[in-house]
Amino acid sequence: MKSPHDCKHIYGLIGYPLVHSFSRDYFNQKFMAEDIDAQYINFEIEDISQLMEVIAEYPNLNGLNVTAPYKEAVIPLLDSLDDDARQIGAVNVIRFIRDHKSGDFVELRGYNSDVVGFEKTLPGILTPQRTSAMVLGTGGAAKAVTAALQRNGIEVQLVSRRKSEHTLIYEEITRAMVAQHLIVINATPLGKYPDDDQCPDFPYRFLTKDHLCYDLIYNPEETLFMKNAARYGAQTKNGIEMLLLQAFDSYEIWNL
């Protein structure tokens, strides 16, 4: 594989930590299979301010994905946002808009493909009975999921470790609440490799066969959240389909 600096285009992922990246493997295989002169790199940065150093080092950078913990923190460094990213308050795709003559980038524009990726998976999980959801977490992923659910008519109850006006804490969840919300979504990083022995402190004993428990994590394939849910008969789903769909959308955004 040639040096990144010798490729026509560089794409990448910023986040911390980046133990395993589906995106890097996916895009580099795509570039090789389609004979695209490009390379995808993981940029593990300890502070979001280092983004500008990455941009300076790679003048052929053409687009970035953004993952935890920077989906919200990156926004002040961008020049503009699309409507979804502005409404949600989180960014997971950055497009480098360049001058047609000089090739220099003139604008960093933020997008949110998480909301579209998640929304495209909804037909497979929604039923006439599933009209409300509990979303565990309040970060960038939770915001995207909440937006997608609400614009499809699904009522959302947020749950977090910290109490706020519109957010429950786990200790407040009752059997009646779980019975009312037949979709439960883990939008926290709890359970993600290598910390796959963790899960949200949810009252799994209240789940039934009518529930769908959806974990946005894709590695491991079956998280502890999913195992606990299945133990009580709930249907489970991981985040690989959403990840693939948002990856498709990322590449389309970069090449608008």
Side-chain angles (χ1 to χ4, degrees):
M1 183 178 291
K2 67 169 75 173
S3 164
H5 294 283
D6 295 329
C7 292
K8 183 176 181 181
H9 296 304
I10 291 294
Y11 302 94
L13 173 68
I14 59 169
Y16 188 84
L18 297 177
V19 178
H20 175 269
S21 168
F22 165 90
S23 298
R24 181 176 61 184
D25 294 343
Y26 167 79
F27 281 112
N28 283 330
Q29 288 172 12
K30 172 184 175 66
F31 298 152
M32 187 176 299
E34 299 180 20
D35 198 26
I36 298 171
D37 187 10
Q39 195 173 141
Y40 192 100
I41 301 173
N42 279 356
F43 298 107
E44 189 174 58
I45 56 177
E46 295 186 12
D47 189 275
I48 191 57
S49 63
Q50 293 175 272
L51 171 61
M52 306 318 291
E53 298 174 21
V54 171
I55 292 172
E57 184 177 350
Y58 293 90
N60 51 345
L61 198 56
N62 208 48
L64 288 168
N65 288 123
V66 184
T67 190
Y70 301 133
K71 291 185 179 184
E72 296 160 294
V74 75
I75 290 176
L77 300 180
L78 305 178
D79 299 302
S80 63
L81 302 175
D82 86 323
D83 290 342
D84 275 346
R86 186 181 302 106
Q87 176 192 346
I88 295 163
V91 164
N92 76 312
V93 181
I94 300 173
R95 178 185 170 210
F96 287 61
I97 300 175
R98 296 185 177 274
D99 182 91
H100 292 298
K101 292 183 178 179
S102 68
D104 296 333
F105 86 84
V106 294
E107 182 181 345
L108 293 177
R109 185 167 176 81
Y111 297 78
N112 194 303
S113 67
D114 280 340
V115 65
V116 177
F118 178 79
E119 191 168 26
K120 288 179 178 177
T121 71
L122 288 180
I125 68 173
L126 295 182
T127 67
Q129 291 74 38
R130 292 173 180 162
T131 58
S132 56
M134 278 191 172
V135 176
L136 313 183
T138 54
K143 289 179 177 179
V145 164
T146 298
L149 289 167
Q150 288 178 336
R151 69 191 192 188
N152 282 271
I154 304 299
E155 177 194 340
V156 175
Q157 173 62 63
L158 293 173
V159 182
S160 179
R161 289 176 292 185
R162 295 181 182 178
K163 177 75 173 173
S164 69
E165 183 181 357
H166 302 291
T167 305
L168 294 174
I169 56 175
Y170 290 96
E171 291 80 4
E172 293 178 313
I173 300 174
T174 64
R175 184 182 295 274
M177 290 177 185
V178 177
Q180 181 184 352
H181 298 83
L182 295 182
I183 303 171
V184 182
I185 299 165
N186 179 28
T188 79
L190 290 172
K192 185 177 181 180
Y193 178 84
D195 301 316
D196 47 10
D197 59 344
Q198 299 180 16
C199 66
D201 190 20
F202 183 83
Y204 299 94
R205 65 189 182 279
F206 296 154
L207 295 170
T208 69
K209 62 180 178 58
D210 296 321
H211 284 85
L212 181 283
C213 291
Y214 190 153
D215 201 326
L216 302 191
I217 293 169
Y218 65 91
N219 183 24
E221 186 175 336
E222 185 181 31
T223 62
L224 185 56
F225 170 81
M226 294 168 65
K227 290 177 181 176
N228 287 340
R231 189 177 303 142
Y232 293 94
Q235 180 186 349
T236 62
K237 180 178 178 64
N238 69 17
I240 191 65
E241 182 186 13
M242 174 183 169
L243 188 72
L244 281 166
L245 290 166
Q246 71 84 17
F248 298 156
D249 285 334
S250 294
Y251 193 71
E252 290 183 3
I253 290 168
W254 294 329
N255 292 279
L256 286 172

